[in-house]
Amino acid sequence: MMKISTTSTELRRRGLLRFARTAALVLVAQMSGLAAPGAGAMTESEAGARAVISETVDEVLAVLRDKSVPTEQRIRSLEQIVYGRFDLYVMSRLVLARNWKRFSEEQKAEYVEEFKQYLTNSYGSRIERYDQQEVEIIGEREEPRGDVVIQTKILGGEFDGALIDYRLRKQEAGWRVIDVVIEGISMVSNYRDQFKSIVSTGGPELLLQKLKEKNAAGMVIDKTSAK
Amino acid sequence: MGFCGGDPAPRTRLAALAAIAAALSAGIACAPVSGPRDPSDPWERMNRGTFRFNEGLDRWVIEPVAKGVDFALPDPVERSIAKFFVNSRIPIHFGNALLQFKPVSAVEDLARFLVNSTIGFAGFFDPASHIGLEAHQEDFGQTLGVWGVPAYPYLVLPIFGPSSPRDAVGLAADSFSTVYPWFVPLYVPFAIGVGDRLNWRSLKLDEIASEREAALDYYVAVRNAYLSYRENQVRDQKDEVTDDEDLYYID
């Protein structure tokens, strides 16, 4: 009896301590955030990655603004701009994670192609919804193992204030985007979760089949945006 | 991946309705779950059942009505209404910012409320953002998160949608601590909740339709989005280094 009550007091004390530590940490973070918002010089990596995002944003916005060009052609230009700065190979691989090893060389190549088409179909149709939004680069940070995250914010329109982070990795050809994180929701992580259960039920074949089916169905058109 | 912006669910005391819905959804056969279990979703079988019920409710009731709303009101008006609802919840955000030891956010919230409720015409406009006052939208689910309660297990609530035991408690606590409903008949907060939800849904028509169509597994896509979004809200130190070994290095 004695022993048990000592343990529970001990536990409660530890819980309180942890609670107090959390409180202190959060308070300090709040105060320091007030004092120095994003101070400090940019590293070389951060500057390099930032330049890539800033160019991409400018080029993409230029295409989106020019509504005189037919949609199909604009999607092709966007593909060129975006895929030129994305490392789709790394991205596709990260999405599959451990399952990557279960794919044969041919299946890998096929999967990267299908995944790319799938991304185009999923996001391409949205260009019709562009409504004069702007993109502001609000910060950058270098991660411990050398990747750089560029933080951006959407200004205006439906997603006013939305925060979008781009994660870039240095490749031979330069900085390339390997993930897009919208309000904390990572594209790589989201597709990884979805693809994981498919591969574990039906292997690489089932995932390839499902991607092909989606791609054959064509672009996801906003049926509701008739107005 | 567009489940961002605004509060995840409108909050009113819909307890009675939720209970009916729970009873209904319990009678719906659950989908067989294949593949590995996600550690954050031990109740996947039940959740998929509830999710399917919610999807049905959305397809047959909520989405059609929201389309009507969308047809009647231009988007800028809907966005303005959404701002009004967000503004009306600031007292809750203020209290939660304090409970999370974030005095700066609390003061900023209070200032936003004062500015937007007056020169922002009861919150239909958002001049506070134009003068650099940031919104924080802290709720009690996040407060519990800051105190160390995890966001999982994932739990799909009937009608309310994606949640967790933590966030369900948060939702209840926030609803009960809203003062005005205690002085008005129950149908007033109920109507406000329904109005908020329908208005929000009418803003998300395109977004949700394309997500539904694009996803290979919509249930998993929503689960991942919800858990990541909530975790991000709790963390809310945007400059925090988050090198995620598991996510970005697979060898």
Side-chain angles (χ1 to χ4, degrees):
Chain A
M1 269 318 267
M2 269 306 278
K3 186 136 196 174
I4 292 170
S5 70
T6 329
T7 328
S8 77
T9 327
E10 175 68 9
L11 272 179
R12 201 177 312 147
R13 204 165 58 90
R14 234 179 284 162
L16 271 174
L17 262 176
R18 198 168 38 193
F19 178 80
R21 207 176 314 146
T22 317
L25 275 176
V26 177
L27 265 174
V28 168
Q30 272 269 306
M31 294 311 192
S32 59
L34 185 70
M42 238 185 269
T43 65
E44 200 185 315
S45 296
E46 287 171 343
R50 192 183 166 119
V52 169
I53 293 300
S54 138
E55 280 165 26
T56 313
V57 163
D58 289 345
E59 291 178 32
V60 166
L61 288 181
V63 173
L64 289 174
R65 284 195 193 104
D66 188 3
K67 297 199 172 175
S68 63
V69 181
T71 307
E72 193 60 20
Q73 203 178 319
R74 287 158 74 212
I75 293 178
R76 294 289 91 80
S77 328
L78 287 179
E79 268 188 307
Q80 275 202 335
I81 298 166
V82 173
Y83 293 156
R85 268 70 166 255
F86 274 52
D87 193 326
L88 278 168
Y89 184 79
V90 169
M91 206 170 181
S92 313
R93 221 179 130 187
L94 290 176
V95 165
L96 283 188
R98 276 176 213 98
N99 284 321
W100 178 253
K101 295 198 186 82
R102 293 180 60 179
F103 285 58
S104 71
E105 288 310 313
E106 299 90 82
Q107 281 174 327
K108 282 175 186 166
E110 204 181 346
Y111 158 74
V112 173
E113 250 340 282
E114 292 295 335
F115 184 57
K116 178 177 172 181
Q117 185 60 42
Y118 174 67
L119 290 180
T120 307
N121 288 357
S122 305
Y123 297 98
S125 66
R126 298 178 190 204
I127 73 170
E128 295 296 358
R129 285 166 44 202
Y130 176 74
D131 183 27
Q132 302 307 317
Q133 291 90 340
E134 295 287 335
V135 176
E136 187 191 358
I137 298 182
I138 55 169
E140 58 280 305
R141 67 163 185 268
E142 199 170 336
E143 299 281 352
R145 289 173 65 170
D147 288 353
V148 171
V149 173
I150 302 295
Q151 300 158 299
T152 69
K153 189 182 197 174
I154 307 267
L155 301 176
E158 193 180 345
F159 302 109
D160 187 30
L163 300 175
I164 303 183
D165 290 357
Y166 296 89
R167 189 183 180 103
L168 294 92
R169 187 165 287 178
K170 178 91 183 212
Q171 309 290 30
E172 270 169 35
W175 288 95
R176 293 289 178 267
V177 176
I178 60 160
D179 194 13
V180 181
V181 183
I182 304 169
E183 294 280 337
I185 303 164
S186 144
M187 240 166 101
V188 166
S189 161
N190 199 286
Y191 288 127
R192 179 183 290 185
D193 276 4
Q194 289 187 62
F195 293 3
K196 192 163 54 185
S197 68
I198 295 169
V199 175
S200 71
T201 358
E205 295 79 14
L206 184 64
L207 179 63
L208 286 171
Q209 183 200 324
K210 289 213 166 200
L211 280 173
K212 279 183 199 155
E213 278 167 16
K214 277 281 177 198
N215 290 341
M219 192 151 290
V220 178
I221 298 296
D222 297 332
K223 297 189 183 75
T224 46
S225 57
K227 73 170 184 180
Chain B
M1 250 169 289
F3 301 93
C4 41
D7 285 9
R11 46 214 60 196
T12 38
R13 287 177 291 162
L14 289 172
L17 244 177
I20 297 169
L24 276 173
S25 63
I28 293 172
C30 298
V33 177
S34 49
R37 280 193 158 194
D38 192 300
S40 58
D41 190 9
W43 305 323
E44 181 166 347
R45 188 177 274 270
M46 176 188 76
N47 281 340
R48 279 196 188 258
T50 318
F51 187 76
R52 196 194 282 178
F53 165 79
N54 286 347
E55 282 291 288
L57 183 73
D58 188 78
R59 224 168 266 257
W60 297 107
V61 183
I62 301 174
E63 192 180 33
V65 178
K67 277 183 183 164
V69 174
D70 196 48
F71 183 75
L73 302 173
D75 280 2
V77 174
E78 289 170 10
R79 263 180 241 143
S80 201
I81 295 172
K83 281 178 186 154
F84 164 78
F85 284 121
V86 170
N87 187 64
S88 71
R89 283 194 294 269
I90 289 185
I92 294 289
H93 302 154
F94 170 78
N96 279 298
L98 287 182
L99 289 173
Q100 294 173 31
F101 324 108
K102 293 172 184 163
V104 180
S105 309
V107 170
E108 216 168 0
D109 279 340
L110 188 65
R112 279 183 63 82
F113 186 65
L114 294 176
V115 170
N116 284 353
S117 303
T118 52
I119 58 172
F121 295 94
F124 284 104
F125 298 91
D126 182 15
S129 289
H130 294 289
I131 55 172
L133 289 168
E134 268 181 62
H136 299 285
Q137 307 212 357
E138 308 290 2
D139 54 56
F140 197 64
Q142 292 176 58
T143 300
L144 292 172
V146 169
W147 293 355
V149 183
Y152 45 83
Y154 182 58
L155 173 67
V156 182
L157 298 175
I159 297 174
F160 292 96
S163 191
S164 64
R166 181 193 85 189
D167 289 341
V169 168
L171 186 68
D174 285 339
S175 310
F176 282 103
S177 58
T178 307
V179 177
Y180 74 89
W182 299 103
F183 302 103
V184 294
L186 191 61
Y187 64 80
V188 175
F190 179 81
I192 288 172
V194 170
D196 187 359
R197 171 77 172 260
L198 284 175
N199 182 67
W200 176 84
R201 188 62 184 82
S202 71
L203 277 168
K204 301 286 172 198
L205 286 172
D206 291 345
E207 197 56 28
I208 291 177
S210 39
E211 289 296 338
R212 261 186 196 147
E213 204 172 325
L216 288 194
D217 186 336
Y218 187 51
Y219 170 82
V220 173
V222 172
R223 178 181 70 198
N224 175 288
Y226 180 77
L227 293 176
S228 315
Y229 178 61
R230 289 299 281 171
E231 195 191 319
N232 186 57
Q233 276 188 315
V234 169
R235 222 176 337 142
D236 83 11
Q237 256 75 47
K238 301 281 193 264
D239 283 329
E240 197 174 81
V241 171
T242 53
D243 215 10
D244 197 332
E245 292 283 325
D246 269 357
L247 190 55
Y248 295 116
Y249 308 95
I250 52 174
D251 298 313

